Amino acid sequence: MAEEKRKWKIKDLGTFLVNMLWAALRGELLIKLNIGKYFPQIIYTFVLFALIILFSLGVDATMVKVENNKEILHDLEVLHTQKSYELQQLNRRTRISSLLEELGSELAPPAKPAEHR
Amino acid sequence: METTNTPKPKKKRDRVATGVHLVYILLLLVTVLFVIRLVGIQLNYTPGPKLARVITQTSVEKVLEPKRGAILSDNGSPLAISVPVYTIHMDCTVRKETYARMTDKERGAELEAAWLEKARRLSEGLSKELGDRSAAQYYELIRSGRENRRQYELICKDVDHQTYKNLLKLPLFNEPSHRGGMISDSRIIRLHPYGELALRTLGYVRPGQSRSHVGLEGKFDYAIHGKEGSEWMREVDNKALVRDYTKPFIPATDGYDIRTTLNIDIQDIADAALREQILGDTMVEGGCAVVMDVKTGAIKAMVNLLRDPKTDRLGETLNMAIGRVGEPGSIFKTVTLMTVIEDGYIKSLDDKIPTNHGRIYTFEPDRHILDYEREHHTNQIPIIEGFKVSSNYMFQYLADKYYGKDPKRFLDKLYTYKLGEAFDFDLSGLATPHISSPNAPGWGQTSLCSVAFGYSTEETPLHMLTFYNGIANKGRLMKPYLVESIEDHGRIIEKKGPAVLNGKICSTATADTLVRALKSVTEEGTAKRLKGASCTVAGKTGTSRVLMPGIGYKDSEGRFKNQGTFVGFFPAEDPQYSIIAVVYSKPSHQSFYGGTYPAAAVRRIVDQMYNSGMIDKKI
């Protein structure tokens, strides 16, 4: 004789909830739900959460390095500009003449153009 | 089988297990309360403003300033570059109230003493780094500022970036501003490595001033300025700020660089040559000199020196080369000569005109003609002789004879030479020349004669140079220009370059004739100073009285202002450069002529350029 399919009634839901509550109070809830077989997945999920947090912190730390490096690059750019300015100042023809004169050099602007051979 | 109801034996309760079970129950209750509270916060809680500020992660928008483009010389040397400078103030009162209000007075006094000790070490560092005051002076400044509650004490102004970085390492300045008191402001300034060379041509941008955009900086601000950007910054651990990628990021676009046609060596030579001539004579108001490449019209040097009335110092404060219109005087005679030759009225420079004792209309008799008559016992004078000595009579005669009945025909020619219009130029402020018109009130019988020898018309030095450059270029009138290209880190964005104003103002034969005439001026005429220069120069001198607005040519004391000019080109056989030098006098009783300071300055420029190998010798 085929078993009749059991019909769920609202009373069964109440019984279920009461059983869950007693299991929770007794500390047997997870055992009742047979969570044990999903233990690796649960651990894996927590590992993922930890990794996301670690990566996020790592990204922030790298971004801070990026901003610090930008600051360093800016400093170097400004230094380069200032040094270029100082170098160009020395490139002025009349300044070179006056520097040579101060140093007592006999070198003077050319008296005639260079010979081309 | 019989079943008996035997009661189950009672389990002996394990005490440890009971204890653990109780802890478990407690934690379960806490968890349930926790979950209820979480749900309550999500659904029903609004934090207060202070807490909201603390827990909300805010992003701050930061404006990204673009880097202003540089202005470069023809070979890429920077003529104007931007750098940041910093002004540092100090709030001398930081933490003073906090220490004073501490309940532990002794501790407060200790902290105050420690702060002052740091200030002492700061003062030593400031003195060493800045060098303008002693350590004791800096300490007294800070200490008295603290005592007198000064919150914005100036420490230093406009220090460079390197100095600023060094100051940030000093005690107090290496702490946050609410502890150390440092307040810094930065601004970007323009530096000119070559000092005052071409400073007025380079110009500046000063928003808020009446003439805020001057020179190349002003005219090309649209390209040099660049475009601001913006980024959002969020706070992370240790209060560091990083870019917030969830918000829009617009990068700043740096400004483009302007490559000019200026040759810094030629500029230096021209500046030194003009300065040498006019520095010592305090009756000289100022002068200008322009050197141009004949074939292209590229301006290789533009010097403008104006004497400061208070200090007598010559400085680049006004662009007279393009902005000052004046009656050009005798250099305009070449215009008349070109016109009569080109129209076929004169076949050769050896053609003669009657001397008529140098008289025409009501003009004063020309003493050059009287001298010539006396020396040569003749009443005829060749054109070339009159040109050499810059005879006013000759050109009055030529203009009146050939154009007297129809002066408009002559005047129209001036417009074809572009002497009547302000063409589009790479600097703002090119003044519009003025040419008298027969329709204008005041035009009379002698007006055309006045125009013919360089009066009753107003031209800028640049216009006259452009005309002479056209002669040197065999009749091809090139537009003067200063900007070769607009570049982005060496990559050309926009090429400017040469342009033609008029393809043919005269025939090659006319141009050659004029070169011969101009050579005679420098070899035997009014510009003899240029004879014997390192290479042959062809050109014309001019001396004119300057009309003083509201006064006339002479003031009530009989003083007058002169304008002396030399304009020409070199080497005369195969012109590579054209040049103009103009010197302006203050009102005085003295005269000076185009054959003096201007010609002497040009001689120096030509010699130095030639000796430095800047002129191609293959002639």
Side-chain angles (χ1 to χ4, degrees):
Chain A
M1 193 160 57
E3 268 189 26
E4 283 180 23
K5 271 199 176 170
R6 192 166 181 277
K7 284 185 185 168
W8 279 91
K9 297 176 191 156
I10 294 177
K11 194 173 75 168
D12 292 330
L13 181 63
T15 313
F16 175 76
L17 287 172
V18 167
N19 287 342
M20 288 294 119
L21 179 63
W22 278 119
L25 288 171
R26 282 204 293 269
E28 293 166 359
L29 179 63
L30 294 182
I31 295 166
K32 280 262 181 199
L33 292 174
N34 209 10
I35 292 292
K37 66 177 180 180
Y38 299 114
F39 185 70
Q41 284 87 340
I42 292 168
I43 296 297
Y44 177 66
T45 306
F46 276 105
V47 165
L48 279 179
F49 286 158
L51 283 174
I52 286 167
I53 291 167
L54 273 172
F55 286 150
S56 179
L57 289 172
V59 163
D60 279 351
T62 307
M63 292 305 298
V64 170
K65 271 193 208 166
V66 165
E67 292 300 322
N68 290 341
N69 286 340
K70 271 191 212 168
E71 190 66 34
I72 293 169
L73 278 171
H74 176 252
D75 288 347
L76 288 171
E77 262 181 35
V78 172
L79 186 67
H80 174 259
T81 305
Q82 280 186 308
K83 292 298 175 198
S84 300
Y85 164 72
E86 285 165 27
L87 200 64
Q88 291 301 326
Q89 277 186 311
L90 295 171
N91 200 24
R92 185 174 166 176
R93 196 186 156 92
T94 44
R95 179 146 166 79
I96 293 169
S97 294
S98 65
L99 280 172
L100 287 168
E101 211 177 298
E102 273 172 43
L103 293 168
S105 170
E106 285 175 9
L107 203 60
K112 57 177 185 174
E115 293 286 330
H116 290 284
R117 293 191 193 277
Chain B
M1 207 163 168
E2 276 184 30
T3 53
T4 50
N5 290 326
T6 46
K8 282 188 188 164
K10 263 195 181 167
K11 252 189 180 174
K12 240 187 176 175
R13 293 290 302 224
D14 180 356
R15 273 199 304 179
V16 172
T18 308
V20 168
H21 197 199
L22 280 171
V23 169
Y24 165 73
I25 297 289
L26 190 66
L27 285 173
L28 187 65
L29 276 171
V30 166
T31 305
V32 167
L33 284 170
F34 191 63
V35 168
I36 292 170
R37 182 73 180 133
L38 270 177
V39 170
I41 286 170
Q42 285 299 312
L43 295 177
N44 204 27
Y45 173 69
T46 311
K50 200 174 170 184
L51 184 61
R53 208 170 39 243
V54 170
I55 63 175
T56 308
Q57 190 182 55
T58 49
S59 289
V60 177
E61 193 179 11
K62 183 175 144 189
V63 173
L64 301 172
E65 293 291 342
K67 199 172 145 199
R68 192 172 176 83
I71 300 181
L72 311 171
S73 69
D74 61 351
N75 66 354
S77 302
L79 301 177
I81 45 177
S82 292
V83 290
V85 290
Y86 303 85
T87 297
I88 298 175
H89 292 85
M90 188 172 183
D91 179 358
C92 303
T93 66
V94 288
R95 311 287 290 169
K96 186 176 160 72
E97 285 295 316
T98 311
Y99 297 152
R101 281 206 208 114
M102 285 176 90
T103 43
D104 184 349
K105 295 290 175 202
E106 215 176 282
R107 178 77 185 134
E110 261 177 40
L111 289 169
E112 179 68 16
W115 194 95
L116 286 169
E117 178 53 33
K118 283 186 193 171
R120 197 182 294 279
R121 286 190 281 125
L122 168 65
S123 305
E124 285 166 10
L126 287 172
S127 177
K128 193 173 162 194
E129 195 62 44
L130 301 172
D132 57 342
R133 282 183 256 212
S134 67
Q137 284 172 319
Y138 270 116
Y139 180 70
E140 181 53 28
L141 180 73
I142 297 170
R143 191 204 59 75
S144 67
R146 196 168 177 77
E147 203 173 285
N148 297 313
R149 298 181 189 284
R150 290 199 290 267
Q151 291 180 297
Y152 205 64
E153 191 70 65
L154 179 66
I155 300 296
C156 57
K157 196 170 155 60
D158 289 350
V159 296
D160 62 36
H161 190 74
Q162 193 56 44
T163 306
Y164 172 69
K165 285 289 178 186
N166 292 342
L167 292 179
L168 284 178
K169 295 176 190 164
L170 297 175
L172 291 180
F173 281 4
N174 59 4
E175 294 179 41
S177 57
H178 68 278
R179 302 180 79 88
M182 180 188 184
I183 306 164
S184 70
D185 298 296
S186 74
R187 66 188 181 105
I188 304 294
I189 60 164
R190 282 302 241 186
L191 290 181
H192 301 100
Y194 297 96
E196 265 203 319
L197 287 186
L199 202 58
R200 191 69 187 181
T201 307
L202 296 174
Y204 54 79
V205 170
R206 287 179 198 161
Q209 290 192 2
S210 60
R211 290 210 64 208
S212 61
H213 284 61
V214 171
L216 289 169
E217 297 263 13
K219 184 94 179 193
F220 290 90
D221 188 46
Y222 71 91
I224 301 177
H225 184 268
K227 207 167 158 194
E228 284 86 3
S230 70
E231 65 177 351
W232 290 83
M233 306 295 283
R234 63 178 173 86
E235 207 176 272
V236 293
D237 293 344
N238 300 324
K239 298 201 186 292
L241 290 173
V242 299
R243 188 188 296 167
D244 186 349
Y245 281 97
T246 64
K247 295 261 179 9
F249 165 64
I250 304 167
T253 309
D254 288 342
Y256 295 135
D257 299 327
I258 302 289
R259 184 180 289 260
T260 67
T261 56
L262 294 171
N263 180 299
I264 203 61
D265 288 330
I266 299 177
Q267 181 75 32
D268 202 3
I269 288 169
D271 185 279
L274 187 62
R275 237 176 241 274
E276 188 188 4
Q277 293 304 315
I278 66 177
L279 184 62
D281 187 347
T282 51
M283 291 318 295
V284 169
E285 183 189 41
C288 63
V290 183
V291 180
M292 192 192 291
D293 181 284
V294 163
K295 293 280 183 293
T296 62
I299 294 175
K300 305 313 265 182
M302 185 180 268
V303 180
N304 289 285
L305 300 173
L306 191 65
R307 197 181 295 276
D308 186 305
K310 291 181 191 153
T311 61
D312 263 355
R313 212 186 141 270
L314 290 170
E316 287 243 352
T317 51
L318 181 69
N319 197 324
M320 292 165 281
I322 66 166
R324 191 173 270 203
V325 279
E327 289 169 312
S330 299
I331 59 171
F332 207 78
K333 290 169 184 166
T334 313
V335 178
T336 307
L337 187 60
M338 175 191 278
T339 309
V340 293
I341 294 174
E342 189 66 9
D343 282 349
Y345 297 122
I346 303 290
K347 300 283 183 274
S348 152
L349 291 175
D350 299 316
D351 287 359
K352 292 179 183 177
I353 63 162
T355 54
N356 203 30
H357 307 301
R359 282 179 212 275
I360 185 166
Y361 291 119
T362 52
F363 291 104
E364 273 191 37
D366 189 337
R367 64 172 177 77
H368 297 299
I369 300 296
L370 292 170
D371 289 344
Y372 189 85
E373 279 179 337
R374 210 170 25 250
E375 270 173 52
H376 295 86
H377 307 290
T378 178
N379 60 356
Q380 298 270 310
I381 180 168
I383 303 285
I384 191 158
E385 292 300 324
F387 189 74
K388 249 194 295 189
V389 298
S390 199
S391 159
N392 290 346
Y393 163 81
M394 169 158 289
F395 294 91
Q396 291 161 344
Y397 174 89
L398 287 171
D400 185 59
K401 181 175 180 189
Y402 299 116
Y403 301 97
K405 291 203 171 80
D406 186 10
K408 194 173 174 300
R409 207 159 43 88
F410 177 79
L411 298 171
D412 284 348
K413 279 285 198 180
L414 306 187
Y415 284 95
T416 67
Y417 307 150
K418 303 298 177 188
L419 290 171
E421 65 181 76
F423 43 79
D424 179 37
F425 184 55
D426 288 337
L427 297 176
S428 299
L430 177 62
T432 306
H434 172 72
I435 298 176
S436 277
S437 162
N439 301 325
W443 180 271
Q445 197 181 35
T446 58
S447 299
L448 181 64
C449 295
S450 286
V451 173
F453 72 93
Y455 280 83
S456 301
T457 179
E458 291 175 332
E459 303 290 339
T460 68
L462 188 69
H463 279 89
M464 291 314 304
L465 177 64
T466 305
F467 173 77
Y468 276 77
N469 194 77
I471 297 172
N473 204 18
K474 305 285 184 209
R476 192 175 168 86
L477 199 72
M478 300 305 292
K479 189 173 96 163
Y481 70 102
L482 271 166
V483 174
E484 194 66 63
S485 57
I486 296 175
E487 299 177 0
D488 179 18
H489 296 99
R491 186 173 59 95
I492 295 176
I493 303 294
E494 187 185 340
K495 184 106 178 88
K496 294 230 166 221
V500 177
L501 281 177
N502 187 330
K504 209 74 182 165
I505 55 170
C506 67
S507 65
T508 308
T510 303
D512 290 342
T513 307
L514 290 169
V515 171
R516 185 187 150 214
L518 293 167
K519 269 176 78 172
S520 72
V521 172
T522 55
E523 282 166 9
E524 296 157 14
T526 54
K528 276 203 288 272
R529 267 175 205 260
L530 285 147
K531 188 174 176 179
S534 302
C535 64
T536 49
V537 182
K540 184 78 183 71
T541 59
T543 307
S544 60
R545 291 278 169 94
V546 177
L547 189 65
M548 293 179 274
I551 298 173
Y553 287 110
K554 270 190 187 176
D555 65 10
S556 53
E557 293 170 41
R559 296 180 306 173
F560 46 85
K561 286 178 82 169
N562 275 339
Q563 174 181 311
T565 311
F566 178 83
V567 58
F569 41 86
F570 57 96
E573 294 80 10
D574 181 23
Q576 292 171 35
Y577 296 101
S578 56
I579 185 167
I580 187 166
V582 186
V583 176
Y584 306 93
S585 78
K586 294 181 188 173
S588 77
H589 296 285
Q590 291 171 341
S591 288
F592 71 81
Y593 304 96
T596 56
Y597 296 141
V602 168
R603 168 81 187 247
R604 189 115 172 97
I605 293 167
V606 170
D607 284 345
Q608 292 215 347
M609 282 180 67
Y610 184 82
N611 295 339
S612 301
M614 293 178 193
I615 297 171
D616 193 355
K617 279 198 297 175
K618 57 170 171 49
I619 297 166

